[in-house]
Amino acid sequence: MHNKKYLLSIAIPTYNRASFLKGALENITSDDSFDDSIQIIISDNASTDNTKEIVLDFVSRFPQIKYSRNEVNIHDENFYKALVLSDGEYIKLHNDTVRFLPGSL
């Protein structure tokens, strides 16, 4: 477990929404303000689609992305888990369908 403290953690709980999640991750990681002070947390609620493969591709390119996968669907507790896994001074609970405007990070 790393001990880095980030300025901002973007916590994204998700379940079977791989295409939405991929778009969200592309949106965040392509922003000019995205750097190593910003962490992304993905809490996967036991998805049965290709969420894991999508996230692992991003994890391989961005070390500040943390992926956690629940063995079973924990329903709304997944929101809490995404927040608890965050290491940021500030935490943003983020929906995988929402996109940031350029430069808004």
Side-chain angles (χ1 to χ4, degrees):
M1 182 171 194
H2 70 79
N3 294 320
K4 177 160 175 61
K5 186 73 169 172
Y6 294 91
L7 179 60
L8 173 65
S9 290
I10 302 171
I12 308 175
T14 193
Y15 175 68
N16 282 346
R17 296 156 61 96
S19 62
F20 292 109
L21 181 60
K22 182 178 182 183
L25 292 172
E26 288 171 344
N27 171 254
I28 296 167
T29 59
S30 67
D31 190 283
D32 290 341
S33 298
F34 182 71
D35 60 21
D36 63 1
S37 71
I38 300 173
Q39 174 189 48
I40 302 172
I41 301 295
I42 308 297
S43 186
D44 178 1
N45 210 4
S47 295
T48 57
D49 64 3
N50 64 331
T51 294
K52 181 177 181 179
E53 291 78 17
I54 298 279
V55 175
L56 291 180
D57 174 56
F58 279 88
V59 168
S60 72
R61 294 182 282 144
F62 301 99
Q64 68 269 47
I65 297 178
K66 184 191 297 187
Y67 176 63
S68 175
R69 185 176 191 285
N70 303 324
E71 290 187 27
V72 296
N73 187 318
I74 59 174
H75 306 284
D76 290 344
E77 288 297 311
N78 197 41
F79 291 91
Y80 175 74
K81 184 173 180 185
L83 294 170
V84 168
L85 290 170
S86 299
D87 298 311
E89 184 175 341
Y90 300 98
I91 302 171
K92 162 88 171 91
L93 183 61
H94 193 66
N95 187 300
D96 53 18
T97 62
V98 176
R99 304 296 179 258
F100 287 103
L101 294 174
S104 64
L105 286 180

